[in-house]
Amino acid sequence: MRRIKIQVAYDGTDYHGWQVQPRLATVQGTLEQVVGQIEGRAIPVTGSGRTDAGVHALAQVAAFTIENPIPLENLRRAMNRLLPRDIRVTGVEEAPLEFHPRFDAKVKTYEYRIFRAEIYSPFDRRYVYHHPYPLDVEEMIRLAALLEGEHDFGVFAASDDRDSEGASKVRTIFCSRLALEGDRLIYRVSGSGFLKHMVRNIVGVLLEAGKGNVDRAGLLARFEPGCTIPPGPTAPARGLFLISVDY
């Protein structure tokens, strides 16, 4: 038996997220079809985590177990030949049989892209959130840095049927940085793990701060025990990218 670890890039626009769903196109389901075709039997493919419908990835990590002796380079080529053009396997390597892409992950990094100019290229429409309206960007930058450290991010999370009752919502954010790069406002965040819709809800709150609706005290109040503040607007999926997963 061989445990194969792959790195995958995909445009999530036309997929109903990562996780397999009956009769719907998903990234995981598409990969399982291709690996099963190569192996000659059904093969489950496990990812480092689930991305929502419309979310993209530059370097998602997944793994599967096969018996086929095919060389790694040939496996990568075979998968890319069979996959649709909006999913590409960019790396393949052998891994220990016990390797689990989700539970073994140490750091994940996401990036959210907001386009600020009045007119944006139609070639960007799938990959940015277009927000040409006034924002206090300096205040957004200041508040983004306050998210670093260990906090209970439950108020930033959507309900998730994968979570067990009473599961901890505490996560550690190693880096939370917002920067204006030309016409793009880029939010990059690295952490030990992320809850459902967490990054998109964080971006939504930062946008509210940019509009003057959330201040420092309002942001920090969200980490108080028993906080009942609504998570705030959820930023659109199309601006979000999974950048990397480190082990």
Side-chain angles (χ1 to χ4, degrees):
M1 300 294 285
R2 305 168 67 195
R3 188 69 168 164
I4 305 296
K5 174 185 175 185
I6 61 173
Q7 183 171 281
V8 187
Y10 52 84
D11 176 342
T13 305
D14 297 328
Y15 295 92
H16 294 264
W18 166 267
Q19 187 177 21
V20 169
Q21 298 184 56
R23 297 178 297 280
L24 294 176
T26 67
V27 179
Q28 182 185 33
T30 303
L31 287 168
E32 289 186 348
Q33 290 174 9
V34 166
V35 176
Q37 188 173 341
I38 294 171
E39 179 73 354
R41 60 186 176 90
I43 298 292
V45 175
T46 304
S48 71
R50 298 180 294 182
T51 51
D52 299 328
V55 173
H56 316 291
L58 299 183
Q60 170 71 285
V61 174
F64 49 86
T65 302
I66 58 174
E67 297 179 0
N68 196 315
I70 182 173
L72 292 176
E73 185 65 14
N74 292 352
L75 176 61
R76 181 185 62 81
R77 290 174 178 166
M79 291 187 69
N80 283 334
R81 185 174 65 250
L82 296 169
L83 284 166
R85 290 179 295 177
D86 49 8
I87 302 176
R88 294 290 91 178
V89 175
T90 58
V92 181
E93 61 183 275
E94 301 274 357
L97 287 176
E98 65 274 14
F99 171 72
H100 195 290
R102 178 187 172 202
F103 299 132
D104 292 344
K106 297 293 189 291
V107 181
K108 292 182 181 179
T109 300
Y110 284 89
E111 186 173 284
Y112 196 93
R113 304 172 182 179
I114 302 169
F115 194 82
R116 299 285 295 125
E118 179 183 359
I119 300 172
Y120 72 114
S121 167
F123 302 108
D124 279 336
R125 66 185 176 84
R126 289 172 172 245
Y127 311 113
V128 297
Y129 173 38
H130 186 212
H131 194 284
Y133 312 107
L135 289 172
D136 185 344
V137 173
E138 292 302 317
E139 178 67 1
M140 294 173 68
I141 291 172
R142 285 191 290 270
L143 294 193
L146 298 178
L147 296 166
E148 293 180 358
E150 184 178 83
H151 305 285
D152 185 331
F153 284 92
V155 74
F156 291 97
S159 60
D160 190 343
D161 55 14
R162 189 174 65 177
D163 290 341
S164 57
E165 186 175 353
S168 174
K169 300 293 174 54
V170 174
R171 299 292 186 273
T172 301
I173 297 300
F174 306 117
C175 177
S176 175
R177 291 289 183 270
L178 192 71
L180 188 60
E181 301 177 7
D183 290 327
R184 293 170 184 253
L185 189 58
I186 306 294
Y187 176 60
R188 181 170 283 219
V189 58
S190 298
S192 60
F194 294 88
L195 303 164
K196 185 175 182 180
H197 291 180
M198 177 174 155
V199 178
R200 292 166 60 196
N201 284 338
I202 287 174
V203 172
V205 170
L206 292 177
L207 285 168
E208 287 300 298
K211 299 172 186 176
N213 298 329
V214 176
D215 59 10
R216 175 189 174 94
L219 178 66
L220 295 179
R222 286 165 162 78
F223 297 130
E224 295 294 329
C227 174
T228 58
I229 300 174
T234 302
R238 62 182 175 274
L240 183 60
F241 288 75
L242 173 59
I243 298 296
S244 64
V245 185
D246 298 317
Y247 293 87

